[in-house]
Amino acid sequence: MPRRNRNLPNRNLPRRYTRRSRPGSSSSLDLCGYIGLIAFVSVVVTIIITPFLRFLPPKAAGIIVLICLAPAAVVTLVGAVFFYGAIAAVIVWSIITNSPMVLEWTFVVVCTVVFGIRYLIYGVLIVAGLLLWLMYTLFVYRMPPSSYFWIRWTFQARRFGWESAKEWVGSSQALQQSDETYPTGRRSNPVKRMTSQLCEPCFQTVTKSGLLSGSFYFFTPREEWSTWSVRFQGVDLAASNEFCHLCSLLWYSIPLETRRKITGSSLIGINGESGGLRIKIFEAHGPRWYEEHYRYVQPYQEGDGNEYEALCDSLLIERETLRGDIRLSASVEIPSWTGSEVSLDLAKSWITECEKHGGTCKSQRSFDEDSYLPARLLYVGDPMSSALRLDNPLSSPNYKSDPRYLALSHCWGENGIPSSQKLTKDKAKQWGECIPEDDLPLNFKDAIVFTRWIGVHYIWIDSLCIVQDDRDDWERESKKMWMVYAHAYCTISSTGSADANGGCFHERSPLQQFPCHLRYSKRAAISIRAKADAYNANSFTSEVDDGPLSERAWAFQERLLSRRIVHFGAKFLFFECGTQFASEVITQAVKHVPTQDADSMESHIAELVGGKRRDKRAAELVGSQYGPVARFRAALEILREGKFTELSMNQELQLHKCWFELVAKYTAAKLKMESDRMIAILGIAQYIQGEAKGLQHLHGLWQRHLLLDLLWCLKSSPTTRITPRTPSWSWGSVNGEISQRLSPYPFTGKGKRTRLVKVAEAFSRESRGLSGPSAELLFDGPIYLECPILPVCDQELAQDPLRKFGLHLDSRIDKVSASFLPDVKQIGPSSALVCAEILRVEVLEGTLVDRIHSVWSEGIVLRSLVDAHSGSGSMEFERVGRFWAEWPRINGASNCEERIEGCASIFEKKDRMKIRLV
């Protein structure tokens, strides 16, 4: 090595590099060491506190993690920039100065880079720390010494910004002294309560609770006891505690016999004041206590010795997230009767706000809006009058001044409505002058009261506005019934009544049916409920969608076509329109909340209506969390807007799915008269058709996707034919729930998809579609099919758990098995049965290149009505079921004409025939 030139000044390079180049120079901790140490300590601290962060609110835990990791992130970034910047500076300095010590400084740079391996050591230490933390969590954290501590203590940070609703001192007197005038004498003095309001002792208990309000200390006891100061009047609460929501929930959760023992014991003072009653607020300690924090409140009574006896089951304390777009009041005034002034005024405000801002609901009316009026309406006068008569709106001056009317949707009941309470020919003239209101069913009385209360003068009720003993009048008006509901100002839905005498208005216990928000903020609340059926996010589904009225097929059409509806449930009051929802808790109407499939549905809508997005209305209607009706409304609008004569296969499939979404819901409901099966859905079909030319509705199927619609199947057990007037190829010919099974296809798995190919042609000859409101539904037009056909060899009548029969088809390959879902009980002999292929389904797999995984044939099973050798031009068949079969795989030669990647076709081109379906 050449000798070093000592005359070269050392100031040409930074001093730290000259010192580091000296062998044997030492430094306890240089810059890299400090950086690594700070990063290591920061990560270790984060690891240690991580198990405790789960007890904190998510935002607080995130802030603490950021604070702990910030030093590590900052020093690592600064160290990396300084480290690599110094290396670059050394190299650039050596090149610029043309220093003869380039080799020596290059060696120094290499040593410095190698010296950076210390970061690898730090990484190993961090991984070791993670492993130690994992062992600490799995073993030490749950070992007896630690678990003994955690059984008694937990974490709960202070909830800043949370509050409780304290009962107003004069609230009970104000509510009791209310002199409001109620619209009907059925309930002269309904009780009103304010939810979530607490008496002074309960307010102090909640605010001082570490489990509910949080604690400033690091640990909080898992059990908290407090005195329950409550007064009684008999077995009920005294007036001083009657308005406390928490006292009411706890007291009436105790069984009646236990309440009698408590009020009859020596612990009750002269003034009815309790003694020895305690409230326990606790957090359960289960096997996964560190992840699941279930907290409860439970009333206790002093027993023998120092022990306390539980009076009832514990009530779960739930944390509820309040969406920002739902304007939920902490304390809501709830009357004990849904027909009170408060309830009726609330319903009136919903209707008024929807009329002002609901552009979608204003445009809900169908075609020819101004030319339609109901033939008869009930004139009800105003709240101060008792006028009630049958009126003709065309000649009534009152209707011309205010052309609004309400419509009633209700259940007749198993026994129907007596003839004295229905419009008949002999009462038409008398009812034109005056109708005795006292003789009407309770549903009608309540609907009339509500109509008067909101300032509307007319209402339409089916049994009072259609002559029930006149067949011509009934057929004429029943076909226009959909227009009555589509044009009504609002629909009154008696959702909670199973018959006409159930009434629209119902009594309830306000504080028992609604949740009590013990603590609440702007975004969340801590609540308890006394009953499983108390108001919650699923109350709309349980009260409305699963109510008695929803079991009626006619009600499905009435609800779907109405612009806005007020639902009078058995316990709650709801409002629903095309875009919004409201309730007695969510008093300000909010939009339906879209689900995760909303974006995909919106894209389907955009494709179906012409490739562009209209607005976000349809997406907002999909899958409301308050009930499935929003999905049905979206499907209805898709069908109405997708008016095209030429559709792609995907568009046909989407329209087919939307239509059978409605059909499945409709056929699952009940009809009193089986002959009304196709009439009760006529209004929906007419609404979809609108003024579109060439859009034909054929007995529950649509001409534009007729082949797909023919593949309906019966979800329930096979039955007999309903009426000979309905053709066998229509689902209206059988009784039971109808479904479609095209999508999602049951044979696809992960990584597989389907391709549909139509192999048949269908057309109707001399058939008439619907052409306006007065179109006939039951027409005499057969359907002609040109498709491959194979005879059936035999049947396997033994049913499997999925109610599928088996068929053997006589193909050129061999006898091929096919699954079979019959429509009727009497199928007939195998010699009279044939299978008609309508659709071919190719199941594909592969990512870059599509490969055929399997091929299936879909079609219908037919029974011959005309002998094939009779010389007729086309054979006549009737449908008896639905089939599907998989193509067999054949590797060698066969006498099959058609084959797709080893799958031999069951149906071949030479089997194609032209048949007539009746």
Side-chain angles (χ1 to χ4, degrees):
M1 174 181 291
R3 295 184 61 183
R4 179 179 178 182
N5 187 0
R6 298 184 180 271
N7 295 325
L8 181 66
N10 288 335
R11 63 176 180 271
N12 290 337
L13 288 175
R15 181 176 301 179
R16 56 178 175 272
Y17 292 104
T18 60
R19 289 181 179 179
R20 184 174 298 173
S21 63
R22 297 177 185 176
S25 63
S26 62
S27 177
S28 58
L29 280 177
D30 58 1
L31 179 62
C32 295
Y34 283 116
I35 290 176
L37 182 60
I38 294 175
F40 176 73
V41 172
S42 177
V43 173
V44 169
V45 171
T46 305
I47 293 173
I48 292 176
I49 68 172
T50 298
F52 305 98
L53 296 179
R54 65 179 72 251
F55 300 100
L56 300 178
K59 290 185 177 179
I63 293 174
I64 292 176
V65 171
L66 290 177
I67 293 175
C68 294
L69 291 180
V74 172
V75 299
T76 302
L77 180 61
V78 172
V81 172
F82 184 79
F83 181 73
Y84 294 106
I87 295 176
V90 169
I91 297 176
V92 172
W93 185 274
S94 301
I95 295 174
I96 292 176
T97 59
N98 196 17
S99 174
M101 299 179 61
V102 173
L103 294 177
E104 183 177 353
W105 295 124
T106 304
F107 175 76
V108 172
V109 170
V110 172
C111 293
T112 306
V113 173
V114 173
F115 188 70
I117 298 178
R118 68 174 67 183
Y119 286 105
L120 179 61
I121 301 176
Y122 298 147
V124 173
L125 292 177
I126 292 174
V127 173
L130 289 173
L131 293 176
L132 289 175
W133 170 79
L134 182 62
M135 295 178 60
Y136 174 73
T137 303
L138 295 179
F139 300 103
V140 180
Y141 214 42
R142 307 182 199 178
M143 294 295 284
S146 298
S147 63
Y148 181 81
F149 175 82
W150 294 118
I151 286 175
R152 290 161 176 77
W153 298 89
T154 185
F155 291 95
Q156 179 55 64
R158 187 68 181 176
R159 290 190 169 99
F160 294 99
W162 291 60
E163 57 183 330
S164 298
K166 189 176 181 180
E167 180 186 357
W168 176 47
V169 177
S171 61
S172 59
Q173 293 83 352
L175 291 176
Q176 288 177 345
Q177 296 175 2
S178 176
D179 56 351
E180 62 182 22
T181 303
Y182 288 91
T184 176
R186 187 154 61 95
R187 284 294 307 273
S188 59
N189 188 25
V191 179
K192 294 186 292 184
R193 295 290 183 266
M194 299 296 293
T195 63
S196 304
Q197 287 198 352
L198 307 178
C199 61
E200 180 63 28
C202 290
F203 180 81
Q204 294 297 330
T205 298
V206 171
T207 54
K208 293 180 180 179
S209 170
L211 294 175
L212 298 179
S213 301
S215 174
F216 290 104
Y217 299 102
F218 198 64
F219 300 107
T220 302
R222 284 185 178 271
E223 291 185 3
E224 297 176 342
W225 292 85
S226 59
T227 303
W228 186 16
S229 300
V230 61
R231 294 177 180 270
F232 306 106
Q233 185 176 359
V235 295
D236 295 325
L237 294 174
S240 58
N241 294 97
E242 187 180 3
F243 293 88
C244 176
H245 202 167
L246 180 58
C247 288
S248 179
L249 290 181
L250 294 178
W251 178 248
Y252 292 106
S253 297
I254 301 173
L256 179 60
E257 291 299 324
T258 306
R259 298 206 306 265
R260 289 175 178 172
K261 291 180 182 179
I262 295 174
T263 54
S265 67
S266 59
L267 298 175
I268 304 301
I270 299 176
N271 297 326
E273 186 175 355
S274 65
L277 295 182
R278 306 271 282 177
I279 294 178
K280 177 185 177 182
I281 303 173
F282 63 97
E283 179 179 292
H285 184 278
R288 299 182 61 86
W289 59 268
Y290 50 90
E291 290 184 356
E292 301 172 351
H293 302 281
Y294 296 112
R295 296 175 181 177
Y296 303 87
V297 60
Q298 191 172 15
Y300 279 77
Q301 184 182 24
E302 183 179 348
D304 298 335
N306 295 326
E307 296 182 355
Y308 286 89
E309 178 185 358
L311 299 177
C312 64
D313 295 334
S314 57
L315 303 182
L316 177 64
I317 301 174
E318 302 174 284
R319 181 186 174 97
E320 301 178 355
T321 301
L322 307 180
R323 292 179 55 90
D325 57 345
I326 295 181
R327 294 167 285 279
L328 180 62
S329 301
S331 185
V332 184
E333 185 183 43
I334 302 296
S336 61
W337 185 45
T338 57
S340 67
E341 177 186 3
V342 174
S343 299
L344 299 188
D345 283 342
L346 181 61
K348 181 179 179 180
S349 67
W350 291 336
I351 299 173
T352 304
E353 289 299 318
C354 178
E355 185 183 19
K356 290 180 180 178
H357 307 292
T360 303
C361 303
K362 289 181 180 179
S363 61
Q364 184 76 15
R365 295 191 181 189
S366 180
F367 61 93
D368 214 7
E369 173 184 356
D370 298 331
S371 63
Y372 175 76
L373 284 176
R376 305 176 188 89
L377 287 172
L378 291 175
Y379 178 75
V380 300
D382 53 58
M384 304 305 297
S385 68
S386 58
L388 183 63
R389 65 175 183 267
L390 198 62
D391 210 346
N392 184 355
L394 293 176
S395 58
S396 173
N398 295 322
Y399 185 81
K400 293 180 180 179
S401 61
D402 184 8
R404 297 181 301 169
Y405 68 91
L406 303 187
L408 175 64
S409 178
H410 69 107
C411 289
W412 284 37
E414 294 294 333
N415 300 325
I417 299 176
S419 59
S420 60
Q421 300 174 345
K422 296 187 294 186
L423 176 62
T424 54
K425 294 179 181 179
D426 58 334
K427 294 195 290 287
K429 184 176 181 181
Q430 176 187 354
W431 281 14
E433 299 176 357
C434 180
I435 299 177
E437 187 174 345
D438 295 337
D439 297 339
L440 298 179
L442 202 54
N443 274 353
F444 300 175
K445 293 180 181 178
D446 291 346
I448 292 171
V449 167
F450 181 72
T451 305
R452 290 169 177 167
W453 189 263
I454 67 173
V456 179
H457 302 301
Y458 286 93
I459 185 174
W460 187 92
I461 302 176
D462 51 3
S463 61
L464 301 183
C465 296
I466 299 178
V467 182
Q468 301 297 312
D469 58 351
D470 188 341
R471 185 65 183 177
D472 295 336
D473 186 76
W474 188 90
E475 289 186 355
R476 180 174 59 255
E477 296 300 321
S478 63
K479 294 176 182 178
K480 301 177 182 178
M481 195 179 300
W482 72 275
M483 301 181 71
V484 173
Y485 289 93
H487 296 149
Y489 178 64
C490 180
T491 296
I492 305 171
S493 177
S494 183
T495 308
S497 299
D499 53 49
N501 287 306
C504 298
F505 309 144
H506 299 274
E507 297 182 15
R508 61 191 175 182
S509 300
L511 299 186
Q512 299 298 310
Q513 301 294 347
F514 289 86
C516 175
H517 301 307
L518 300 176
R519 301 288 286 173
Y520 57 88
S521 65
K522 293 182 179 180
R523 296 291 181 178
I526 300 174
S527 309
I528 59 172
R529 290 175 171 83
K531 300 180 180 180
D533 59 349
Y535 186 92
N536 53 48
N538 298 321
S539 294
F540 185 81
T541 299
S542 58
E543 283 274 300
V544 178
D545 297 323
D546 299 335
L549 184 60
S550 295
E551 298 178 357
R552 185 170 160 261
W554 280 100
F556 178 67
Q557 171 182 272
E558 296 161 6
R559 181 181 175 188
L560 195 61
L561 298 178
S562 297
R563 290 185 290 176
R564 51 184 76 94
I565 311 173
V566 176
H567 294 283
F568 289 92
K571 297 187 292 291
F572 309 116
L573 196 65
F574 299 98
F575 174 78
E576 169 194 348
C577 69
T579 57
Q580 293 181 323
F581 161 88
S583 69
E584 292 174 279
V585 174
I586 307 175
T587 55
Q588 297 294 324
V590 296
K591 289 189 175 182
H592 295 296
V593 180
T595 60
Q596 59 183 358
D597 297 331
D599 293 336
S600 59
M601 178 62 75
E602 187 180 358
S603 63
H604 291 324
I605 295 172
E607 179 183 1
L608 292 171
V609 299
K612 61 180 181 179
R613 299 194 176 191
R614 298 286 182 90
D615 50 32
K616 294 184 178 180
R617 180 193 64 196
E620 291 169 349
L621 290 176
V622 178
S624 168
Q625 66 176 359
Y626 307 109
V629 70
R631 185 176 76 249
F632 302 135
R633 288 184 184 271
L636 183 68
E637 292 304 318
I638 292 174
L639 290 165
R640 180 171 171 80
E641 293 179 2
K643 300 170 183 175
F644 306 104
T645 55
E646 296 183 2
L647 301 173
S648 65
M649 189 64 194
N650 183 53
Q651 288 175 331
E652 285 191 32
L653 181 61
Q654 292 299 327
L655 292 174
H656 163 77
K657 287 168 56 181
C658 289
W659 172 243
F660 275 87
E661 182 93 10
L662 304 179
V663 170
K665 178 65 177 178
Y666 168 77
T667 54
K670 300 177 182 177
L671 274 172
K672 192 173 183 64
M673 301 291 294
E674 292 183 351
S675 58
D676 295 344
R677 186 169 174 86
M678 298 306 298
I679 299 177
I681 202 173
L682 172 62
I684 298 177
Q686 288 178 316
Y687 176 81
I688 293 172
Q689 188 185 34
E691 295 179 330
K693 303 298 183 181
L695 187 59
Q696 291 188 345
H697 176 261
L698 311 173
H699 282 285
L701 313 182
W702 290 95
Q703 179 73 43
R704 58 183 173 183
H705 39 85
L706 181 57
L707 287 177
L708 297 180
D709 286 0
L710 285 172
L711 297 176
W712 58 266
C713 59
L714 190 63
K715 196 173 182 179
S716 56
S717 301
T719 59
T720 56
R721 300 288 184 195
I722 292 180
T723 169
R725 293 186 64 191
T726 306
S728 64
W729 44 264
S730 169
W731 51 263
S733 62
V734 294
N735 194 8
E737 185 176 354
I738 304 299
S739 66
Q740 61 89 21
R741 56 181 302 276
L742 289 177
S743 181
Y745 206 74
F747 310 111
T748 58
K750 185 176 181 180
K752 297 184 177 64
R753 54 201 176 279
T754 58
R755 181 168 58 202
L756 306 182
V757 180
K758 290 188 289 186
V759 295
E761 294 181 10
F763 54 94
S764 58
R765 181 180 301 172
E766 300 176 356
S767 63
R768 299 189 302 273
L770 299 177
S771 56
S774 61
E776 295 290 336
L777 174 66
L778 305 177
F779 54 87
D780 300 327
I783 285 182
Y784 293 87
L785 275 181
E786 189 173 348
C787 59
I789 289 181
L790 276 183
V792 175
C793 300
D794 52 37
Q795 311 172 28
E796 295 178 3
L797 299 181
Q799 292 181 327
D800 64 2
L802 297 178
R803 197 190 55 80
K804 289 185 296 187
F805 289 78
L807 295 177
H808 293 294
L809 306 182
D810 188 11
S811 67
R812 287 178 175 78
I813 306 169
D814 200 353
K815 289 185 178 180
V816 178
S817 298
S819 298
F820 172 43
L821 286 177
D823 300 337
V824 292
K825 294 180 180 179
Q826 302 297 329
I827 301 174
S830 301
S831 58
L833 301 181
V834 297
C835 289
E837 184 187 25
I838 294 179
L839 196 67
R840 186 170 298 168
V841 182
E842 299 175 357
V843 181
L844 309 176
E845 61 180 359
T847 55
L848 299 178
V849 180
D850 290 337
R851 298 190 304 272
I852 300 294
H853 175 268
S854 59
V855 182
W856 295 77
S857 290
E858 298 256 7
I860 53 179
V861 181
L862 309 175
R863 181 169 58 198
S864 177
L865 300 178
V866 178
D867 189 359
H869 303 287
S870 62
S872 60
S874 61
M875 294 180 290
E876 191 171 80
F877 293 87
E878 68 172 347
R879 170 179 162 145
V880 293
R882 173 88 157 75
F883 87 94
W884 62 92
E886 183 179 9
W887 289 14
R889 285 193 170 274
I890 298 179
N891 296 325
S894 68
N895 57 355
C896 179
E897 290 184 352
E898 187 175 350
R899 185 183 304 180
I900 302 178
E901 294 188 11
C903 298
S905 174
I906 304 172
F907 297 86
E908 302 184 36
K909 295 181 179 179
K910 62 178 62 178
D911 299 324
R912 192 177 183 89
M913 297 182 183
K914 185 178 180 181
I915 60 175
R916 184 173 185 262
L917 292 183
V918 296

